[in-house]
Amino acid sequence: MTDAREIDRIVGAALDEDAPWGDLTSEVLIPIAATATAVLQAREPGVLSGIGVFAAAFRLVDPAVVVEPLAADGEPFEAGAVLARVSGPARGILRAERVGLNLVQRMSGIATLTARYVAETAGTRARIVDTRKTTPGLRSLERQAVRDGGGRNHRRSLSDAVMAKDNHLAVLTAGGHDLATALRAARERMPHTAHLEVEVDRLDQVEAVLAGGADTVMLDNFTPDGLRAGVALIGGRAIVEASGGVSLETVREIAATGVDVISVGALTHSVRALDLGLDVTVAT
């Protein structure tokens, strides 16, 4: 679960963006004493994520608005399901509606897509993980959505692990550095609790990477046959991650090669928001 302070920070910024000087429409049209009840309803099946984020939007606008969750994060639902009930001052409900919906729709879209990838890899050793290809400012929420869909999180930020990718290796190669030696030197400078991952795009790079002390070897854009060869070559000496070219159509075949981890940027960078609606059922 995302920290409550982090949720309030993100949702508060979104509310400020959406109504920097108030909700002009509601303030001139809706009586201040008006109240309403609305329901959050699914218009298509999916997996819920972000119900607490949805509730935070209303709480931060007006603490008198009550949000009653009727489903939990990580719970699958069918079209037509009522996921939450919202009641209280109508102005508060109307002001918070779009921000709350935007966030719960996006998070539920991510959770739903992640659950499909996880289902495709059932029975294999591979775990589905996200990447840093997230919406700026929303990484905490999108990572939670991946977890709600049954996936796992990769490193959160550039500060969390040493991950040498193709451009890092290109700089080293251009400078005439030996890869294994450079990685061992990096290992000496790393905190003892940090993880070292190295991306390769050819099998002939693997032995140097292992000699440099890599904890994880990422096989980038390998064919299934190449992945199987990589898994055999590494032989349990490091965690094996597959990345690149991963889709719902290919992920099962990738998982069957014996890799430990499959990273999927599509979980967050191109996901479709789930169709959820907030409809007023009672107004007084």
Side-chain angles (χ1 to χ4, degrees):
M1 185 67 181
T2 306
D3 181 82
R5 293 169 298 179
E6 178 80 346
I7 291 174
D8 284 0
R9 180 187 66 78
I10 294 171
V11 175
L15 290 167
D16 288 344
E17 176 185 62
D18 199 44
W21 302 286
D23 175 5
L24 184 58
T25 305
S26 294
E27 288 166 12
V28 301
L29 189 62
I30 304 300
I32 193 168
T35 62
T37 297
V39 294
L40 176 66
Q41 189 164 25
R43 295 171 178 163
E44 62 179 313
V47 176
L48 183 61
S49 179
I51 194 65
V53 177
F54 176 78
F58 296 92
R59 172 175 52 80
L60 291 174
V61 165
D62 187 342
V65 176
V66 175
V67 177
E68 178 190 1
L70 301 176
D73 285 343
E75 185 176 327
F77 54 81
E78 298 299 324
V82 176
L83 306 174
R85 185 173 291 106
V86 183
S87 59
R91 285 188 179 184
I93 292 173
L94 293 167
R95 177 172 173 177
E97 172 187 6
R98 177 43 54 198
V99 167
L101 274 175
N102 283 350
L103 293 172
V104 74
Q105 285 179 302
R106 180 162 183 82
M107 292 178 69
S108 294
I110 292 170
T112 300
L113 182 60
T114 302
R116 293 180 67 189
Y117 274 91
V118 171
E120 287 293 328
T121 60
T124 73
R125 66 183 297 161
R127 60 176 60 178
I128 298 296
V129 305
D130 53 18
T131 72
R132 285 172 41 247
K133 296 175 182 178
T134 53
T135 308
L138 297 184
R139 183 169 295 173
S140 294
L141 303 187
E142 293 182 349
R143 283 166 58 87
Q144 177 190 322
V146 169
R147 297 192 300 273
D148 288 338
R152 307 288 186 93
N153 296 140
H154 212 295
R155 60 175 178 164
R156 176 184 174 85
S157 71
L158 291 172
S159 303
D160 296 324
V162 176
M163 187 170 173
K165 302 195 74 177
D166 54 351
N167 284 337
H168 299 95
L169 301 188
V171 171
L172 288 173
T173 301
H177 296 280
D178 174 73
L179 179 55
T181 301
L183 291 174
R184 283 194 293 267
R187 171 70 81 181
E188 289 296 318
R189 292 188 291 271
M190 289 167 52
H192 72 280
T193 57
H195 190 92
L196 173 60
E197 177 166 357
V198 184
E199 175 186 283
V200 302
D201 53 23
R202 304 188 315 273
L203 286 178
D204 62 13
Q205 297 171 298
V206 169
E207 288 299 343
V209 166
L210 292 173
D215 301 298
T216 296
V217 179
M218 178 194 288
L219 304 178
D220 186 47
N221 283 304
F222 278 59
T223 65
D225 285 344
L227 290 172
R228 277 187 285 272
V231 169
L233 179 59
I234 293 165
R237 291 178 287 172
I239 296 168
V240 183
E241 177 178 337
S243 182
V246 183
S247 68
L248 282 168
E249 292 69 36
T250 63
V251 70
R252 181 73 188 182
E253 187 176 13
I254 291 170
T257 65
V259 297
D260 302 295
V261 175
I262 304 174
S263 51
V264 187
L267 297 181
T268 54
H269 73 58
S270 58
V271 70
R272 179 181 65 83
L274 211 66
D275 191 3
L276 309 176
L278 187 70
D279 301 311
V280 172
T281 57
V282 178
T284 57

